[in-house]
Amino acid sequence: PDDRLNPGSRDYAVTVRFRTTHSYGNMIQKGQSETPGGYFKWEIPSGRLMCLYRSRDSRGNLLGQKAVTAPVPLNDGAWHTVRCEKTVDRVTMTIDGTTVVRSSRSTIGPIANTMPLSIGGKVACDQVKVTCDYFAGDIDWVRIEASSG
């Protein structure tokens, strides 16, 4: 739970090198769906990676969100390097060095919460109120970049 890992209103990018043959699971996230302050996460339903950035105020009211989904499945067992970058008004996904999808433009809003960054699954899950959604595969490395603004 480090404030430096919160995107806030800054440009913010997460890059992950991974491989999997499975078709679901949360790869990385900070916060959860209803977390006050918002959250971001990567998940891979049906083998198609999705990056989501969702902003909420301190009471949990939605301020804005953007998500992008890979146009092709990435659960082919090969190593992939994927970067998802959030700017003030869009999210861009780059797969293996090629930009493949950009969201439409609209304000996302700041994202800042007190939850820890989790890699490979959720930190606080009970399969009743919060599903665990563990990632099944290999994660080689994770890189987080944030502008100073």
Side-chain angles (χ1 to χ4, degrees), residues 3-122:
D3 286 343
R4 294 173 297 175
L5 297 171
N6 282 321
S9 296
R10 306 175 293 175
D11 291 353
Y12 190 87
V14 178
T15 307
V16 178
R17 183 170 186 260
F18 72 95
R19 68 179 174 189
T20 187
T21 56
H22 300 280
S23 62
Y24 199 75
N26 289 354
M27 196 176 297
I28 185 168
Q29 69 186 72
K30 185 165 189 321
Q32 295 181 9
S33 178
E34 301 298 321
T35 300
Y39 78 113
F40 73 86
K41 78 172 180 175
W42 290 30
E43 64 181 349
I44 192 162
S46 303
R48 294 179 59 200
L49 184 65
M50 182 196 65
C51 304
L52 168 69
Y53 290 88
R54 180 177 290 156
S55 177
R56 292 189 180 279
D57 66 18
S58 61
R59 292 182 308 242
N61 298 311
L62 183 66
L63 298 174
Q65 69 180 16
K66 281 292 168 188
V68 292
T69 301
V72 296
L74 298 175
N75 60 341
D76 56 6
W79 285 102
H80 294 285
T81 301
V82 178
R83 182 176 196 263
C84 286
E85 179 181 10
K86 177 197 82 67
T87 59
V88 69
D89 64 353
R90 73 172 16 164
V91 175
T92 302
M93 180 185 287
T94 303
I95 300 172
D96 299 328
T98 302
T99 299
V100 295
V101 65
R102 274 193 181 100
S103 69
S104 60
R105 290 184 183 271
S106 68
T107 302
I108 298 168
I111 299 170
N113 64 59
T114 59
M115 300 284 291
L117 178 80
S118 61
I119 299 172
K122 296 176 185 171

